[in-house]
Amino acid sequence: MTQTLPPRDAGPIGRGAEAAARESRISRLIITSSVLLSAVAGAVAALYGSTAAYGLVGATLGVLLFTTAALYPIFATYSYLLTLPIIAGIDRDTLIPLVRPNEALLALVVAGAVFGAFLRYVRGDDIRPRFMPAVDVPLGVFLLMATVWPLTSLTLRGHIPTGEEYASILPMAKLVGLYFLVRYTVTTDARILRTIRFIVWPGALVALIAVLQTLRFPPVAALLDTFWNSGSNAATPDELGERGSATLGSPIATGDVVIICLILVLCCGARGLLGRRERLILALTLGTGVFAAGQFSTWIAALVGFALIAWRFPDLRRQAKRFAPLALVALVIGAPAFLGRLEGIGEFGTPVPESWLGRYDNLRFMYLPHFDWTTTLIGVSPNTVLEAAERWREVIYLESGVLYFLWIGGVPLLAAFLWLSLRVLRTVRPAVRHPGAFGACASSLEIVWLFLLVLTLIDPHLQLRGTGDLIFTLLAITVGGIDARRRT
């Protein structure tokens, strides 16, 4: 826990040489450790089998991640965001028992960062929690209403919570944990800009995979079918190519992640951030992914988001004609999923997609009968998934944002979400004009939260894989930046 300080007269050259030497030593240590680990894993596999070798590699990787997060807390944020769109769609028990890989990764690196902070506090460093009541208080109330209150309402009605109901409250707790991790680690403009890149480039990769999936590129389809098409109601090979579920395992989650990344790129472009070619590549790839997702909610979010961007940034509005050819290219490439979704409209004599008719039947016959004046007030259950009676499906998902909050926590949870939304939009308003990366995140947060409110009338989105993570990451960066500027 101690380190030797350089001499007081060490200049920039001396410090640079020392940093280069330290990085070289770390690189050699990593390479040597990797070679030794590979050799040991091979020996263990030969002696005790592949399962033991996988366990050894997993345990070693876990120790390495924990230690690195303890030494460099920002590593916890970077590693989670970089891998989020790729591993979040892998179901529980596929690679790791009981949890998704991204959940295990977040728990591991957060534990490492907290342990490192504790050691620094013991050493005498100034480690003090910082709170911003304008957002942290309604966020805390929302967390209580989404976790403690649903379990309490069950016990008030004489029910014992099941394992599925306990597991159902974890996503919101995970989002708040991510919020504080990002807020305490992403503290400089350089880190904010790097975090933006660690969000948009993996998002562009997801968009590219979604496009190749809808074009039925065989290697991509085979890879997705191996790791990301498991669990209840898994798609058939033909269904897998209809919409871009990509590595998130859900077209609606893929659409959310892609449109959030696209809005973030446009807000960066309005401030001259990121390189010009970088912005063009990202915008074209993400714009194509918007169509390839094949989700009406994604297209609604795109319309709302683009309208708000045009209103906020007149310069982008004037430049829209220059980028019209790119939008046309994106539409042509993403046309298979886009046109496939439009074919179902009006087939049964109604001007809505066929899937919406099934959604209406699910709400009417499976969910609404559970509501009465008591359950509307205090909620039905933390678990929104119901078992299906039909043979062609195993489970039924609740597809209504408003009913989602009422089902889990009743009126208190819905009111807590609306209060949090009001406080977030009021708090972020002064920061949207900031010229740097902090301002880009603030502008993106405002736009994303507004279309989140619109989409909540149709679907629950906050708990989706990747969606809530990116929203709470933007919220943490914005709130942390506002709080830091108020203190200086």
Side-chain angles (χ1 to χ4, degrees):
M1 295 304 295
T2 62
Q3 60 179 0
T4 303
L5 297 177
R8 292 182 178 270
D9 58 347
I13 296 178
R15 289 194 296 269
E18 182 184 357
R22 183 171 60 252
E23 292 177 359
S24 178
R25 289 195 300 270
I26 293 175
S27 299
R28 289 196 298 269
L29 178 61
I30 292 175
I31 294 173
T32 304
S33 301
S34 300
V35 172
L36 291 176
L37 177 61
S38 300
V40 173
V44 171
L47 294 174
Y48 302 102
S50 59
T51 302
Y54 290 145
L56 173 64
V57 173
T60 306
L61 180 61
V63 172
L64 179 62
L65 291 172
F66 182 92
T67 304
T68 307
L71 295 174
Y72 309 102
I74 189 62
F75 170 80
T77 299
Y78 290 162
S79 61
Y80 182 75
L81 292 178
L82 270 173
T83 59
L84 171 66
I86 308 302
I87 65 176
I90 301 177
D91 283 332
R92 294 177 175 87
D93 293 324
T94 301
L95 295 179
I96 302 175
L98 303 178
V99 296
R100 298 182 186 274
N102 70 303
E103 296 171 343
L105 175 61
L106 181 63
L108 187 64
V109 294
V110 167
V114 172
F115 181 72
F118 172 73
L119 292 182
R120 294 182 185 91
Y121 175 77
V122 172
R123 187 176 62 183
D125 292 357
D126 186 15
I127 304 294
R128 291 181 297 176
R130 300 185 303 273
F131 295 98
M132 188 173 179
V135 174
D136 292 344
V137 171
L139 179 61
V141 172
F142 175 72
L143 177 62
L144 289 176
M145 293 299 104
T147 56
V148 177
W149 171 246
L151 298 176
T152 303
S153 68
L154 282 176
T155 58
L156 290 176
R157 286 175 284 136
H159 299 290
I160 299 176
T162 63
E164 291 81 3
E165 288 170 331
Y166 278 111
S168 297
I169 68 174
L170 295 179
M172 292 302 176
K174 179 200 73 173
L175 294 180
V176 176
L178 176 63
Y179 165 82
F180 283 105
L181 172 66
V182 174
R183 183 168 164 189
Y184 287 121
T185 55
V186 184
T187 54
T188 64
D189 288 340
R191 287 184 174 182
I192 294 175
L193 186 59
R194 192 175 297 116
T195 301
I196 289 175
R197 284 194 165 97
F198 287 168
I199 290 175
V200 296
W201 277 108
L205 177 60
V206 168
L208 179 61
I209 293 173
V211 171
L212 295 176
Q213 177 185 357
T214 55
L215 294 176
R216 300 181 186 273
F217 187 58
V220 171
L223 181 64
L224 294 178
D225 191 44
T226 301
F227 292 103
W228 289 275
N229 186 37
S230 59
S232 302
N233 298 339
T236 63
D238 290 336
E239 295 173 342
L240 193 61
E242 293 178 357
R243 290 181 287 173
S245 59
T247 52
L248 287 166
S250 167
I252 188 171
T254 298
D256 282 357
V257 169
V258 169
I259 192 62
I260 291 173
C261 292
L262 180 56
I263 288 174
L264 187 54
V265 169
L266 293 176
C267 290
C268 287
R271 292 166 171 80
L273 301 174
L274 306 179
R276 183 174 181 273
R277 292 182 180 178
E278 184 179 10
R279 294 198 303 266
L280 288 176
I281 294 173
L282 287 170
L284 179 59
T285 307
L286 293 168
T288 306
V290 169
F291 294 106
Q295 280 294 323
F296 288 100
S297 61
T298 302
W299 303 333
I300 293 172
L303 292 175
V304 175
F306 293 159
L308 292 171
I309 288 176
W311 173 59
R312 280 289 187 189
F313 305 106
D315 290 340
L316 290 182
R317 187 169 65 243
R318 288 190 291 266
Q319 298 174 10
K321 294 181 180 180
R322 295 168 52 188
F323 299 103
L326 291 178
L328 182 60
V329 172
L331 176 59
V332 171
I333 298 176
F338 181 70
L339 296 177
R341 290 290 284 166
L342 294 181
E343 288 178 356
I345 298 179
E347 184 175 349
F348 294 92
T350 57
V352 297
E354 177 186 354
S355 61
W356 287 19
L357 298 178
R359 174 186 304 186
Y360 172 75
D361 289 338
N362 289 337
L363 295 177
R364 180 181 177 185
F365 298 109
M366 303 302 298
Y367 285 97
L368 289 179
H370 290 272
F371 284 100
D372 53 32
W373 71 270
T374 302
T375 53
T376 301
L377 181 62
I378 65 174
V380 178
S381 169
N383 185 18
T384 61
V385 180
L386 298 179
E387 294 185 2
E390 302 87 354
R391 292 185 177 180
W392 56 274
R393 60 179 177 176
E394 297 182 13
V395 296
I396 303 173
Y397 296 101
L398 176 55
E399 297 179 287
S400 170
V402 176
L403 288 183
Y404 173 84
F405 289 115
L406 292 177
W407 181 277
I408 293 177
V411 174
L413 178 57
L414 179 60
F417 172 70
L418 295 176
W419 184 33
L420 175 62
S421 301
L422 178 63
R423 299 306 305 173
V424 167
L425 293 175
R426 283 186 178 179
T427 303
V428 74
R429 189 175 302 163
V432 296
R433 298 293 184 183
H434 196 277
F438 161 66
C441 290
S443 299
S444 302
L445 174 63
E446 182 187 43
I447 294 170
V448 169
W449 204 285
L450 285 172
F451 80 59
L452 173 67
L453 292 176
V454 174
L455 295 183
T456 299
L457 300 175
I458 306 172
D459 283 309
H461 283 258
L462 195 60
Q463 89 296 347
L464 289 177
R465 310 163 188 172
T467 305
D469 301 86
L470 296 187
I471 292 176
F472 272 72
T473 297
L474 294 175
L475 177 62
I477 294 173
T478 304
V479 172
I482 293 174
D483 184 50
R485 283 159 178 78
R486 287 181 177 179
R487 292 174 182 270
T488 57

